[in-house]
C-alpha cells in the first residue's frame, strides 16, 4: 500500500469521495443559480431553502402518502418547481423593471419564511430518511469501502448536470434560452414567449435545488437549517466560477468540493474556510471569476 | 446603481450649508426624548435599540448613500463585539478603550474585506460580502479566544476612564447614549459633506462620476471602511451593555436584520434606519416567546417591503412633507 505524505490512502480517498459528494451538491445548486441568473438576472437567495424543501417534500411523500424514494426523485423537484413558478408569477415578476438587488432582498425574505415555517412544524432536530433498498450496502474496492448510495449521488448529479448543459448548449430550446439571455426584447420580437420562458426557467432552476434536496435526504438528516449554510458556500462557488458559463458552474462545483475534501485531510481546521480563501484569491487575481466574462 | 426610486428625487435637493432646521429640531427632540426615556422604560432595552440604530445608520451610509448592498455587515458588528469583550475581560481595559479596540478591529477588517469586495459590482458584491462574513463566522466558531458556542460571557462593565463605574444601568445608559448619538451625528456629517455628495453621485451614475475624474474605487473603499467601523462601534458598545459577545452577533441572520431595519425605515434617509431599528428590536422583544415566528414575520416584512413599500416608513413621510428626512 502506498502512502502519501504519511496519510493512509483510505483516509485520502475517503475524503476525496466525501468532497466529491459535497461537490455534487455545490455543482447542482450553483448550476441552478447560474441558469436562473442567466435569464432573470437575479440571485435566488431562496435556493438553499428550496433545497431543504425538496428534502422535506421527499420525507412527507414517504411518511404521509407512502411514496418511496424513486418516485420522490421525480415528484419532489416537480412540486418544488411548481412552487417556484408560483413565486415567480406572483412576486418576482413584479420586480424585473427594478434594480436586481430587490430580487435578492425578496428571495431572502422568502427564504426566511420557508425556513421559519418548516422550523415551526418540524423543529430543528432533523428527521431520518432511509436509503432506498436498491442502493443500500456498498462495494469493497480493496483499498476502500464505497457505499452504494454515495456513488449514486455522484452519478445522479453528473447525469443531471450533463443533461442540463446539453439542453442549454446543444438544443433548439437552449438556443432560444441563450438568445433571450443576450437580448430578451429582440427574442420576444421574433415571436417567442419570453415571460413564459422566464417562468419555466425559474421553475427549472428551483427544481434542480429540489432534486439536490432529495439526493441529500438519505445522507444528511432532513433539517430546516440544512440549506442555510450550504447556500452561502454555493454563493462563494458561484463567485469563484463566475456565472457566465453553465459548464463553469458545474466544473467549479465539483472542483471546490474536492479541494475542500483534500483540505480536510491535510489541514482539518481550514476546511470550513478554504472555499472563502480561494474566493479571496480569485477576486485578487481574476475578479470576474474563473469562467466569467470580463465586465 | 439606482436603489433609490425616482419618487425619492425630492430627497436629492439638499442643503449643503449647515444642518436644515427640520433635522436640527428632530435631533434635539430625539435627544430630549432619549434623556427622559430611561426614567420610563427599561434602560437595557433602550440601550439595545440605540446600538442597533447606530448599526443600521452605519449600514445605511453604505447602502442608502453609497449604493452598495453589503450582506455581511454582521462580520464587523460581531468581530468588534468579540474584540471589545475580550479587551474588557482578558486585558482588563476600561470600557472606552475596549470599545475603541473593537471599533478599530472592525475598521481593519472592513478595509481588508472592502478592498476585495469592491472588485465586483451589484449582486456579486452582495454575495462576496456575505461569503466573507460567513468566513468570519467560522473563525468565531473555531478560534480559541471567542469561546466557540458559548461566546465570551460575563464581560465586566468596568469604570469609564478608570473613574466612573458603569455597573449601574442608568450610568451605562447615558454613556451608551453619548456614544451612539455621537456616532449617528458623525454619520450625518459624512453624508452631508462634500465626500457624501460624491458618494451620491457615484450611486446615481458611476460611469459619469468616473468621467468627472473621481477615483470611484477609492471612494467606495473609504465608505465601506467607514461603514464597517461605525457598525463595529455599535457592536463593541453592545457587548459592553449585554456583557456578552456571541455567535449571534456574527451570524448571517444579523446581516439580514440590519438590511431589514434599513429597508423598513427607508434607505437613503437620515432617520429611517433609526425608526427601522426601533421597530424590529421592539418586535423581537415582544415576539421572543414565539420562536420561529419572529423569522417568519421578518421574512414577510421583507417580502411586503420589497413588493410595495420600497421607500420605507420615513421615505413615505418624507414624500408627503416634500422634505428630505
Amino acid at each position: 500500500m502506498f502512502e502519501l505524505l504519511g496519510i493512509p490512502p483510505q483516509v485520502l480517498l475517503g475524503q476525496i469521495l466525501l468532497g466529491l459528494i459535497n461537490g455534487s451538491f455545490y455543482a447542482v445548486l450553483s448550476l441552478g443559480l447560474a441558469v436562473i441568473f442567466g435569464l432573470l438576472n437575479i440571485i435566488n437567495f431562496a435556493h438553499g431553502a428550496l433545497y431543504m424543501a425538496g428534502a422535506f417534500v421527499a420525507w412527507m411523500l414517504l411518511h404521509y402518502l407512502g411514496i418511496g424514494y424513486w418516485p420522490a426523485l421525480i415528484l419532489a423537484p416537480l412540486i418544488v418547481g411548481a412552487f417556484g413558478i408560483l413565486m415567480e408569477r406572483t412576486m418576482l415578476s413584479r420586480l424585473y423593471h427594478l434594480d436586481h438587488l430587490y430580487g435578492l432582498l425578496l428571495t431572502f425574505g422568502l427564504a426566511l419564511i420557508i425556513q421559519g415555517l418548516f422550523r415551526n412544524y418540524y423543529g430543528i432536530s432533523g428527521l431520518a430518511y432511509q436509503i432506498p433498498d436498491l442502493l443500500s450496502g456498498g462495494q469493497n474496492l480493496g483499498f476502500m469501502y464505497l457505499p452504494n448510495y454515495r456513488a449514486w449521488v455522484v452519478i445522479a448529479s453528473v447525469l443531471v448536470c450533463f443533461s442540463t448543459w446539453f439542453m442549454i448548449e446543444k438544443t433548439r430550446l437552449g438556443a432560444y434560452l441563450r438568445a433571450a439571455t443576450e437580448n430578451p426584447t429582440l427574442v420576444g420580437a421574433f415571436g417567442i414567449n419570453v415571460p413564459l420562458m422566464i417562468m419555466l426557467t425559474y421553475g427549472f432552476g428551483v427544481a434542480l435545488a429540489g432534486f439536490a434536496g432529495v439526493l441529500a435526504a438519505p445522507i444528511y438528516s432532513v433539517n430546516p437549517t440544512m440549506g442555510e449554510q450550504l447556500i452561502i458556500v454555493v454563493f462563494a462557488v458561484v463567485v469563484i466560477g463566475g456565472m457566465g458559463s453553465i459548464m463553469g458552474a458545474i466544473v467549479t462545483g465539483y472542483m471546490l468540493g474536492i479541494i475542500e475534501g483534500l483540505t480536510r485531510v491535510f489541514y482539518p481546521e481550514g476546511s470550513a474556510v478554504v472555499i472563502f480563501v480561494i474566493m479571496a484569491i480569485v477576486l485578487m487575481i481574476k475578479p470576474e471569476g474563473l469562467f466569467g466574462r470580463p465586465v | 446603481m439606482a436603489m433609490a426610486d425616482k419618487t425619492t428625487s425630492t430627497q436629492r435637493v439638499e442643503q449643503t450649508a449647515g444642518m436644515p432646521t427640520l433635522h436640527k429640531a428632530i435631533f434635539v427632540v430625539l435627544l430630549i426624548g432619549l434623556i427622559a426615556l430611561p426614567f420610563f422604560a427599561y434602560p437595557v432595552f433602550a440601550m439595545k435599540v440605540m446600538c442597533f440604530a447606530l448599526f443600521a445608520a452605519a449600514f445605511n451610509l453604505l447602502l442608502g448613500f453609497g449604493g452598495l448592498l453589503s450582506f455581511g455587515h454582521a462580520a464587523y458588528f460581531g468581530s468588534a463585539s468579540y474584540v471589545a469583550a475580550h479587551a474588557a475581560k482578558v486585558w482588563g481595559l476600561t470600557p472606552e478603550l475596549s470599545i475603541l479596540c473593537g471599533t478599530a478591529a472592525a475598521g481593519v477588517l472592513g478595509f481588508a474585506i472592502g478592498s476585495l469586495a469592491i472588485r465586483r459590482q451589484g449582486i456579486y458584491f452582495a454575495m462576496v460580502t456575505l461569503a466573507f462574513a460567513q468566513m468570519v463566522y467560522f473563525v468565531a466558531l473555531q478560534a480559541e479566544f471567542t469561546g466557540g458556542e458559548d461566546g465570551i460571557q460575563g464581560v465586566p462593565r468596568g469604570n469609564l476612564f478608570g473613574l466612573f463605574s458603569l455597573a449601574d444601568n442608568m450610568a451605562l445608559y447615558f454613556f451608551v447614549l453619548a456614544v451612539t448619538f455621537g456616532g449617528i451625528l458623525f454619520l450625518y456629517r459624512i453624508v452631508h459633506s462634500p465626500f457624501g455628495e460624491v458618494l451620491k453621485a457615484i450611486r446615481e451614475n458611476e460611469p459619469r462620476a468616473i468621467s468627472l475624474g473621481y477615483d470611484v474605487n477609492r471612494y467606495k473603499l473609504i465608505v465601506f471602511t467607514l461603514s464597517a467601523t461605525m457598525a463595529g462601534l455599535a457592536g463593541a458598545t453592545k457587548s459592553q451593555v449585554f456583557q456578552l459577545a456571541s455567535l449571534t452577533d456574527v451570524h448571517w441572520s444579523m446581516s439580514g436584520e440590519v438590511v431589514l431595519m434599513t429597508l423598513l425605515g427607508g434607505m437613503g434617509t437620515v432617520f429611517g434606519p433609526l425608526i427601522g431599528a426601533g421597530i424590529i428590536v421592539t418586535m423581537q422583544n415582544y415576539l421572543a416567546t414565539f420562536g420561529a415566528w419572529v423569522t417568519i414575520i421578518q421574512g414577510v416584512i421583507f417580502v411586503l417591503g420589497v413588493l410595495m413599500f420600497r421607500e420605507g416608513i420615513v421615505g413615505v413621510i418624507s414624500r408627503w412633507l416634500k422634505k428630505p428626512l
Side-chain angles (χ1 to χ4, degrees):
Chain A
M1 269 306 177
F2 66 98
E3 283 204 3
L4 190 69
L5 300 169
I7 308 265
Q10 289 88 341
V11 174
L12 189 64
L13 289 166
Q15 290 297 347
I16 289 180
L17 176 71
L18 214 61
L20 202 57
I21 288 166
N22 281 339
S24 305
F25 293 117
Y26 297 161
V28 176
L29 290 175
S30 64
L31 174 65
L33 284 180
V35 169
I36 292 172
F37 178 79
L39 202 55
L40 282 78
N41 268 315
I42 63 153
I43 269 294
N44 186 30
F45 217 124
H47 220 65
L50 291 166
Y51 155 84
M52 176 269 290
F56 263 101
V57 169
W59 185 88
M60 288 179 200
L61 285 174
L62 184 66
H63 286 258
Y64 300 145
L65 302 173
I67 296 172
Y69 178 82
W70 298 104
L73 204 53
I74 309 289
L75 277 177
L78 284 179
I79 293 169
V80 173
F83 181 70
I85 286 177
L86 191 73
M87 271 164 50
E88 196 275 337
R89 278 295 90 194
T90 53
M91 292 179 248
L92 273 175
S93 59
R94 295 159 188 262
L95 299 177
Y96 293 145
H97 64 287
L98 295 170
D99 193 287
H100 303 314
L101 289 173
Y102 283 114
L104 180 81
L105 295 177
L106 178 83
T107 48
F108 179 76
L110 290 170
L112 288 183
I113 297 174
I114 297 169
Q115 258 170 35
L117 285 174
F118 277 106
R119 224 173 75 197
N120 246 356
Y121 291 105
Y122 295 97
I124 50 164
S125 48
L127 308 162
Y129 190 94
Q130 280 289 313
I131 293 178
D133 293 338
L134 188 64
L135 294 172
S136 58
Q139 308 294 325
N140 194 346
L141 303 178
F143 54 88
M144 66 173 285
Y145 179 78
L146 176 67
N148 285 342
Y149 188 79
R150 301 202 168 214
W152 157 248
V153 167
V154 177
I155 295 168
S157 73
V158 170
L159 281 177
V160 164
C161 286
F162 179 78
S163 357
T164 307
W165 171 82
F166 187 83
M167 193 175 77
I168 291 174
E169 299 289 336
K170 302 289 170 195
T171 65
R172 179 165 285 267
L173 181 69
Y176 291 154
L177 202 74
R178 279 176 289 135
T181 306
E182 292 295 325
N183 191 336
T185 321
L186 198 60
V187 173
F190 281 127
I192 291 164
N193 189 343
V194 175
L196 178 74
M197 208 150 81
I198 290 179
M199 182 184 97
L200 292 177
T201 304
Y202 188 77
F204 177 74
V206 159
L208 280 177
F211 178 80
V214 184
L215 277 186
I219 303 186
Y220 310 118
S221 74
V222 180
N223 191 316
T225 56
M226 66 194 280
E228 64 178 48
Q229 303 265 339
L230 186 64
I231 191 62
I232 302 177
V233 179
V234 172
F235 278 175
V237 171
V238 159
V239 172
I240 294 168
M243 280 186 293
S245 97
I246 296 295
M247 199 43 117
I250 300 171
V251 172
T252 317
Y254 286 109
M255 196 176 69
L256 287 171
I258 293 172
I259 292 176
E260 203 182 34
L262 287 175
T263 314
R264 214 171 286 126
V265 179
F266 295 107
Y267 183 60
E269 296 81 8
S271 64
V273 295
V274 64
I275 290 187
F276 303 119
V277 173
I278 294 174
M279 182 181 83
I281 296 169
V282 169
L283 282 172
M284 275 188 270
I285 299 166
K286 199 166 180 290
E288 67 274 14
L290 296 178
F291 297 88
R293 283 175 282 188
V295 191
Chain B
M1 192 198 67
M3 277 300 273
D5 281 355
K6 54 177 176 285
T7 39
T8 58
S9 60
T10 46
Q11 291 170 8
R12 283 172 213 140
V13 190
E14 277 161 81
Q15 289 168 270
T16 38
M19 197 188 279
T21 325
L22 181 61
H23 289 186
K24 223 178 262 176
I26 294 174
F27 273 125
V28 169
V29 170
L30 197 62
L31 185 61
I32 294 172
L34 286 172
I35 290 172
L37 188 65
F39 299 101
F40 304 101
Y42 182 48
V44 174
F45 171 72
M47 286 189 274
K48 187 177 179 190
V49 173
M50 290 192 294
C51 290
F52 276 98
L54 175 60
F55 184 24
F59 176 78
N60 186 44
L61 171 69
L62 189 64
L63 175 63
F65 299 101
L68 299 167
L69 173 59
S70 156
F71 234 101
H73 251 48
Y76 320 110
F77 183 79
S79 56
S81 165
Y82 274 112
V83 171
H86 186 77
K89 191 178 178 183
V90 181
W91 299 339
L93 293 185
T94 52
E96 75 286 352
L97 288 178
S98 308
I99 290 176
L100 270 181
C101 286
T103 310
V108 172
L109 189 65
F111 180 80
I113 293 180
S115 56
L116 288 169
I118 57 163
R119 288 161 177 257
R120 301 302 304 258
Q121 271 101 33
I123 36 186
Y124 279 104
F125 181 86
M127 287 195 288
V128 168
T129 47
L130 173 65
F132 278 126
Q134 188 70 0
M135 184 168 153
V136 173
Y137 173 81
F138 280 125
V139 171
L141 186 64
Q142 293 177 343
E144 285 281 316
F145 89 97
T146 56
E149 299 273 356
D150 300 329
I152 304 177
Q153 301 179 352
V155 179
R157 276 185 177 173
N159 297 328
L160 185 62
F161 305 118
L163 300 171
F164 313 105
S165 167
L166 293 181
D168 178 47
N169 272 344
M170 281 306 235
L172 186 66
Y173 178 87
F174 287 102
F175 171 63
V176 172
L177 175 61
V179 170
T180 52
F181 207 81
I184 287 166
L185 285 179
F186 174 68
L187 288 166
Y188 183 92
R189 185 69 193 86
I190 295 174
V191 168
H192 296 85
S193 68
F195 173 80
E197 297 302 323
V198 177
L199 277 186
K200 287 169 222 163
I202 295 171
R203 175 189 72 188
E204 294 304 320
N205 194 335
E206 189 172 330
R208 178 120 193 239
I210 295 172
S211 76
L212 286 171
Y214 290 109
D215 186 348
V216 167
N217 277 343
R218 216 180 106 237
Y219 278 91
K220 282 186 182 175
L221 182 55
I222 294 173
V223 72
F224 194 95
T225 311
L226 277 173
S227 172
T229 311
M230 297 312 284
L233 179 62
T237 312
K238 205 215 97 181
S239 76
Q240 306 294 306
V241 174
F242 288 93
Q243 304 176 276
L244 169 76
S246 73
L247 285 174
T248 322
D249 300 339
V250 274
H251 196 248
W252 59 265
S253 53
M254 181 66 82
S255 303
E257 266 167 35
V258 76
V259 180
L260 183 60
M261 289 169 187
T262 309
L263 184 71
L264 179 65
M267 58 179 122
T269 64
V270 171
F271 301 101
L274 316 184
I275 305 266
I279 294 173
I280 297 294
V281 173
T282 310
M283 188 194 83
Q284 285 170 341
N285 206 39
Y286 284 107
L287 296 181
T289 47
F290 291 94
W293 281 107
V294 178
T295 320
I296 298 173
I297 293 171
Q298 286 185 351
V300 171
I301 298 176
F302 248 112
V303 170
L304 293 181
V306 170
L307 284 177
M308 35 204 221
F309 198 58
R310 284 182 289 275
E311 296 167 284
I313 295 168
V314 173
V316 171
I317 298 173
S318 162
R319 181 155 50 87
W320 285 342
L321 296 178
K322 296 195 173 59
K323 284 201 171 83
L325 280 175

